[in-house]
Structure formats: structure tokens, C-alpha cells
Amino acid sequence: MAEFPAPEKGIVLTHFIVSDDVERSRRFYTEVLGGEAVLEGEPSIVALANGWVIINVGGGPTDDKPPVTLEAPTDTNRVSSFLNIRVADIEAVYADWSARGAEFLTPPVDHGREIRCYVRDPDGHLIEVGQATGILQR
């Protein structure tokens, strides 16, 4: 079982997403992408490969971020960041996740030094899935 992402030393990088339906998103990250639920409810935490995704509802400002409101994407075609998942075999991942219900924007596309495709989670968060080809270009 995956353990809660609390390092004893150093740092751990997690990805926090805002969801309109935390349970639905938790199921996507576990059942479709193959992660493991570490914590369920609000928030939910999913261990995914060697990282964690924290999923919670949005909300207004708090005392430690007074001007900030968290919300799920309102325009899924405009993003300022996205989760990037690197895989060893993109064709296998594409087939597996598609069979589990993932709806990719396109099949994997070869860009020379990497092959990549994109999928959205149930709230519209963009996720890049990529595989390095071993070709280094500058």
C-alpha cells in the first residue's frame, strides 16, 4: 500500500487539482490511470507511479492565500499548467487507458525526440502522456 506523501527529509513533489466532484476524479486517477488511493474523501490523495495527486474541492481565499480562489477549469482549451506523465511504452498505455475509459484528444503523435498525446481528467485538467524516443535534438 502506498504511504501518505510526508517526507522524513528532503521534499516530495505532489500535484494538487481542484475538482467539482472529488470522488469522480479519484476514481479516474485510480481506475483509469491505475493509481492507488491513499486517502479518500475531501481531500483525496492518489499515489500514481512515483508521485501523488491531491484532489480537493475549490474554495475562496484562506488566511495563507488571501487573494486566491481555487476552482476547476472553466475553459478546458486554455491552460497554464498540466500534469506530465512519462511512460516507457506509450502505445501500451494509450491502449490500456483507452480501454478503461480515458478519452484522449488524439492518438500518440511522434515529434522526433518524443511521442506524446493528451487526455483530460473528468474536470477538464489536461494531462500529457509522453515517451522519449532517445533522439536528442536542440
Side-chain angles (χ1 to χ4, degrees):
M1 174 162 184
E3 295 188 23
F4 188 76
E8 293 183 21
K9 61 181 180 177
I11 66 171
V12 171
L13 184 63
T14 65
H15 189 71
F16 183 99
I17 63 165
V18 178
S19 177
D20 290 332
D21 184 334
V22 174
E23 174 64 19
R24 177 192 66 194
S25 289
R26 185 195 56 76
R27 285 192 315 269
F28 174 82
Y29 284 92
T30 57
E31 296 172 9
V32 176
L33 301 190
E36 181 182 345
V38 175
L39 180 68
E40 295 184 16
E42 295 177 5
S44 284
I45 299 177
V46 175
L48 185 59
N50 60 343
W52 288 268
V53 178
I54 300 172
I55 308 162
N56 207 0
V57 296
T62 59
D63 60 355
D64 55 346
K65 53 176 183 39
V68 179
T69 297
L70 299 178
E71 62 183 25
T74 56
D75 181 350
T76 59
N77 291 321
R78 298 181 64 86
V79 299
S80 61
S81 69
F82 54 86
L83 182 62
N84 185 306
I85 300 174
R86 307 312 287 177
V87 300
D89 184 345
I90 196 166
E91 294 296 338
V93 169
Y94 177 80
D96 184 36
W97 291 359
S98 293
R100 294 185 201 176
E103 296 180 12
F104 287 85
L105 277 62
T106 67
V109 176
D110 190 333
H111 289 272
R113 65 180 174 178
E114 71 175 342
I115 303 166
R116 67 177 186 253
C117 53
Y118 293 84
V119 63
R120 294 188 199 281
D121 78 2
D123 287 289
H125 294 279
L126 191 63
I127 301 168
E128 177 184 297
V129 181
Q131 175 185 334
T133 62
I135 300 171
L136 296 176
Q137 297 174 340
R138 292 189 186 257

